[in-house]
Amino acid sequence: MARRGEAGGESEDRRGAKRKAAAEAARDDPGDGETGSGAPEAPQPRPAAFPPGFSISEIKNKQRRHFMFVRWKQQQRKEKLAAKKKLKKEREALGDKAPPKPVPKTIENQRVYDETIVDPNDEEVAYDEATDEFASHFNRQTCPKILITTSDRPRGRTVRFCEQLSTVIPNSHVYYRRGLALKRIIPQCISRDFTDLIVINEDRKIPNGLVLSHLPHGPTAHFRMSSVRLRKEIKRKGKEPTQHSPEVILNNFTTRLGHSIGRMFASLFPHDPQFIGRQVATFHNQRDYIFFRFHRYLFKSEKKVGIQELGPRFTLKLRSLQKGTFDSKYGEYEWVHKPREMDTSRRKFHL
């Protein structure tokens, strides 16, 4: 028993000596959070450092994995911002000797070459414009008169959308269908000197399609509609639009097909916009999606100009282009979207 007690005492003395030696070594070493004088410093937070080859997906715990992913994204964002600031300072220091900014690679500028891209100075294109169905509008021989209608028994959201669309397009009239077929509506529109017919289709109380038919000889375009936002759903919207004829902007309608679609949209509006209203309707084509926006210019000063969205807004995707007026059974189609055959490449566009 005495031997055990003596052995225990010796082990405790050895442990105490080791602790004392470690404390003296830590006091003499100022690199572990203490200065040479022995005054402790506040611990500094260390940035998130991930070892090479580390994969967050290997973490089994879902909450821990999400936490580490958010932490990693924050670290990446800080590094990107720091590199951007450093590059900006270097360019400011070089001044005029700074190298030109590199052009980023996007799907749009890496687009597959299309033989049908329109050259504005092409004589054949000029001849087609002078003889197509929209020539009378661009020659100022006719004034647009639009009929806006819906599918049978429209719901409240579709009705409100048609009413707001009629405030965007001048000289447009809204009539609701009550079981009347389009083939019977078109002759009545022609007899009443309507130049275009717009049909808004819906599914599950949401507008999902638009049919645009130019009268009296066509063509007729069928679009899929999505992302419809009414005026009350738009943040920071402006006041109600005025009755002034808006300016029309068409972007990126470069091919023969896109050129025809752009002329269809332009023929909906009067040829001479009233710039005093400061309103502009934009049809922007990007990757074959047509984004519609309706804005008003805000002149803050002689050099600063802002825009204020008035609404509504929506997105269109062309499904088909048909010769003549609407005829789903015997109509002749100029172009039909076939996803399995046409959407083989992400860099291939048709408009």
Side-chain angles (χ1 to χ4, degrees):
M1 295 296 291
R3 291 181 180 179
R4 291 181 181 178
E6 292 175 358
E10 291 178 359
S11 61
E12 290 179 359
D13 293 341
R14 290 177 183 176
R15 292 173 187 171
K18 289 181 180 179
R19 292 195 195 100
K20 187 175 181 180
E24 292 177 355
R27 190 181 302 111
D28 295 337
D29 186 9
D32 294 337
E34 296 184 0
T35 59
S37 61
E41 289 186 353
Q44 299 294 331
R46 297 181 180 180
F50 298 100
F54 174 76
S55 178
I56 298 177
S57 60
E58 297 176 0
I59 302 176
K60 303 301 182 181
N61 188 283
K62 183 178 179 180
Q63 295 180 352
R64 183 65 180 175
R65 184 169 63 247
H66 176 71
F67 172 76
M68 296 298 290
F69 176 75
V70 173
R71 197 173 177 183
W72 175 77
K73 290 292 289 185
Q74 292 175 352
Q75 180 183 351
Q76 295 291 320
R77 195 179 299 111
K78 289 180 181 179
E79 293 177 357
K80 185 177 180 180
L81 184 61
K84 189 176 180 180
K85 289 182 178 179
K86 181 180 178 182
L87 182 62
K88 184 178 180 180
K89 290 182 180 179
E90 291 177 355
R91 293 185 63 86
E92 290 177 354
L94 293 175
D96 297 336
K97 297 181 180 180
K101 294 183 179 180
V103 179
K105 289 185 179 181
T106 61
I107 297 179
E108 285 81 4
N109 59 27
Q110 299 293 319
R111 176 178 182 172
V112 176
Y113 176 74
D114 195 338
E115 298 178 353
T116 62
I117 292 179
V118 173
D119 185 4
N121 300 323
D122 192 352
E123 296 180 358
E124 185 178 355
V125 175
Y127 176 77
D128 292 341
E129 291 181 354
T131 57
D132 65 0
E133 298 87 348
F134 312 103
S136 60
H137 167 76
F138 290 98
N139 293 335
R140 305 172 187 270
Q141 297 176 359
T142 59
C143 182
K145 185 179 179 182
I146 318 300
L147 175 66
I148 301 176
T149 185
T150 63
S151 57
D152 192 18
R153 298 178 182 178
R155 300 290 180 165
R157 184 176 178 81
T158 305
V159 171
R160 290 192 297 271
F161 175 73
C162 293
E163 292 174 352
Q164 294 182 11
L165 188 63
S166 65
T167 62
V168 174
I169 304 175
N171 199 19
S172 58
H173 309 271
V174 181
Y175 291 96
Y176 302 107
R177 290 169 56 189
R178 292 177 176 84
L180 191 63
L182 283 180
K183 290 185 179 180
R184 296 181 59 185
I185 294 177
I186 291 175
Q188 296 180 12
C189 294
I190 296 174
S191 63
R192 290 171 172 79
D193 297 330
F194 283 99
T195 59
D196 293 273
L197 173 65
I198 298 177
V199 183
I200 306 297
N201 296 321
E202 69 172 16
D203 182 29
R204 298 179 182 178
K205 304 179 183 181
I206 298 176
N208 70 331
L210 185 145
V211 177
L212 175 59
S213 181
H214 187 71
L215 304 177
H217 305 297
T220 301
H222 185 199
F223 300 91
R224 185 182 70 219
M225 180 183 292
S226 61
S227 303
V228 178
R229 295 291 181 271
L230 303 179
R231 288 197 179 104
K232 67 176 183 180
E233 301 170 352
I234 297 176
K235 296 181 180 179
R236 296 181 293 277
K237 62 180 181 298
K239 296 181 180 180
E240 294 292 325
T242 59
Q243 296 182 357
H244 296 90
S245 299
E247 181 185 359
V248 181
I249 297 178
L250 304 172
N251 289 333
N252 299 335
F253 293 93
T254 55
T255 63
R256 282 291 186 92
L257 177 63
H259 194 62
S260 300
I261 298 299
R263 286 174 68 85
M264 286 187 72
F265 289 135
S267 64
L268 298 174
F269 298 85
H271 198 77
D272 295 322
Q274 298 173 346
F275 296 102
I276 192 173
R278 299 180 285 114
Q279 296 178 159
V280 55
T282 304
F283 295 90
H284 177 75
N285 173 40
Q286 185 172 354
R287 303 181 188 179
D288 287 346
Y289 286 92
I290 303 171
F291 301 91
F292 174 79
R293 298 292 185 270
F294 191 55
H295 291 95
R296 177 186 287 130
Y297 291 117
L298 297 177
F299 295 96
K300 301 179 181 179
S301 64
E302 296 181 356
K303 296 182 179 180
K304 293 184 179 181
V305 181
I307 56 176
Q308 186 179 50
E309 188 171 0
L310 302 178
R313 66 164 66 169
F314 53 88
T315 305
L316 300 176
K317 176 79 171 180
L318 182 64
R319 283 184 173 179
S320 63
L321 181 64
Q322 180 183 357
K323 291 183 178 180
T325 57
F326 180 81
D327 190 352
S328 60
K329 190 174 182 180
Y330 301 105
E332 181 182 356
Y333 288 87
E334 296 183 18
W335 185 86
V336 178
H337 182 228
K338 299 178 181 179
R340 294 185 179 181
E341 299 177 9
M342 298 180 177
D343 297 345
T344 56
S345 175
R346 293 183 61 194
R347 297 185 292 115
K348 176 67 176 178
F349 306 120
H350 307 284
L351 297 181

